[in-house]
Amino acid sequence: MTFKHISKNHLQELIKLLPDDINIEIDENTEIEILTEEQISIEPSLYKPDLIVHIGNLILMIEYQSTYVATNEKKRFKVYISNFDYKNNENNLEIIFLVLSTAEYSKMAEHSINKWDTFTFPIVSLNNFNEKEIISNIEEKINHDKTITDSELIELALTPMMVRGRDNIINQFEEIIPLMSEIKYTSKIIKESVYAIALMLGNMYFTKDDPQEKKY
């Protein structure tokens, strides 16, 4: 749910977080269509990843994972691709599937179905980012009245997911909330995207009777 609050306009900023070898180019003329429906019933959602986007001549699938990817998940991800390809991919567009993880470091994962067939996919980790560098960069740009890019803003909002442990996550909120109010946003859309991510993360980590929740 956190990432569903990144607007369609700023999907390209999320894509910039991916490794260079996952080469997806988006410009103002690229056709972008988000195909993921809201998942209300439990059973059908087992066959659909968190985000499916039609971008130009390819389909991008992203699964957001906050736990380690086990064998059962690997089997399920294979079903995601096969199910979509069979039912919805009449034009045989290229399908790119990846896992965006807060639990593991970036790597190629694989699942051997048999000795002839192995399913491989990349795990892209937010652990690869240095939250202290991201915050320091934002602080420096604020102090020197420099423009902060949309990508830097998305990274700032995601910094609580780059650390582990509830206390560290709360400390991360303590750092970014004041910064968010000092930033001169280039547009209302990016401001809403950044605040929505932070609010969703806040709802994940604070209970309603927590005095800090009200503060945030």
Side-chain angles (χ1 to χ4, degrees):
M1 285 302 297
T2 299
F3 291 90
K4 287 181 181 178
H5 284 272
I6 295 179
S7 69
K8 179 178 171 181
N9 297 34
H10 293 93
L11 180 67
Q12 57 188 322
E13 305 306 330
L14 176 62
I15 289 173
K16 287 177 183 176
L17 300 181
L18 306 181
D20 293 337
D21 52 353
I22 301 176
N23 187 20
I24 302 173
E25 295 184 2
I26 299 178
D27 59 34
E28 63 274 7
N29 299 317
T30 305
E31 178 187 352
I32 300 175
E33 181 184 6
I34 296 178
L35 303 177
T36 320
E37 299 173 359
E38 287 300 319
Q39 296 168 13
I40 299 172
S41 53
I42 296 174
E43 191 63 28
S45 72
L46 294 175
Y47 305 103
K48 192 181 297 178
D50 292 321
L51 184 65
I52 306 174
V53 189
H54 176 198
I55 305 173
N57 60 353
L58 62 83
I59 301 294
L60 173 65
M61 293 183 173
I62 298 180
E63 180 77 3
Y64 306 111
Q65 189 89 359
S66 58
T67 58
Y68 286 93
V69 177
T71 301
N72 284 346
E73 278 83 33
K74 293 175 182 179
K75 291 180 179 180
R76 180 158 47 89
F77 300 159
K78 182 74 163 62
V79 174
Y80 286 167
I81 299 170
S82 302
N83 188 57
F84 181 89
D85 192 39
Y86 180 71
K87 290 184 176 180
N88 306 99
N89 196 12
E90 295 178 359
N91 296 322
N92 290 320
L93 300 176
E94 178 185 2
I95 298 175
I96 295 177
F97 175 84
L98 61 92
V99 173
L100 194 57
S101 173
T102 59
E104 302 187 55
Y105 287 98
S106 294
K107 62 182 180 181
M108 289 300 296
E110 65 176 42
H111 171 59
S112 295
I113 299 164
N114 53 47
K115 62 182 179 180
W116 303 286
D117 190 2
T118 301
F119 168 50
T120 53
F121 59 91
I123 295 177
V124 179
S125 176
L126 286 176
N127 291 331
N128 291 11
F129 294 90
N130 187 318
E131 72 281 354
K132 290 184 173 58
E133 285 183 8
I134 292 169
I135 291 172
S136 175
N137 178 53
I138 296 286
E139 288 174 334
E140 185 175 339
K141 287 198 168 187
I142 290 173
N143 292 336
H144 293 86
D145 201 24
K146 293 182 179 179
T147 302
I148 301 169
T149 67
D150 290 351
S151 296
E152 290 169 334
L153 291 172
I154 296 291
E155 288 176 7
L156 177 68
L158 293 175
T159 53
M161 296 180 72
M162 297 174 189
V163 296
R164 298 186 185 184
R166 190 174 185 275
D167 289 343
N168 291 330
I169 290 165
I170 291 173
N171 290 337
Q172 205 63 356
F173 272 105
E174 292 280 4
E175 284 196 65
I176 70 168
I177 296 297
L179 285 178
M180 287 169 59
S181 63
E182 293 180 44
I183 291 168
K184 295 178 182 177
Y185 295 90
T186 54
S187 72
K188 184 180 178 183
I189 294 175
I190 186 63
K191 182 176 182 179
E192 288 175 352
S193 292
V194 169
Y195 271 79
I197 293 170
L199 285 170
M200 281 300 300
L201 290 173
N203 288 334
M204 288 167 60
Y205 292 107
F206 300 107
T207 58
K208 288 193 174 180
D209 56 352
D210 190 329
Q212 287 174 305
E213 194 269 347
K214 186 176 289 185
K215 171 184 172 183
Y216 294 126

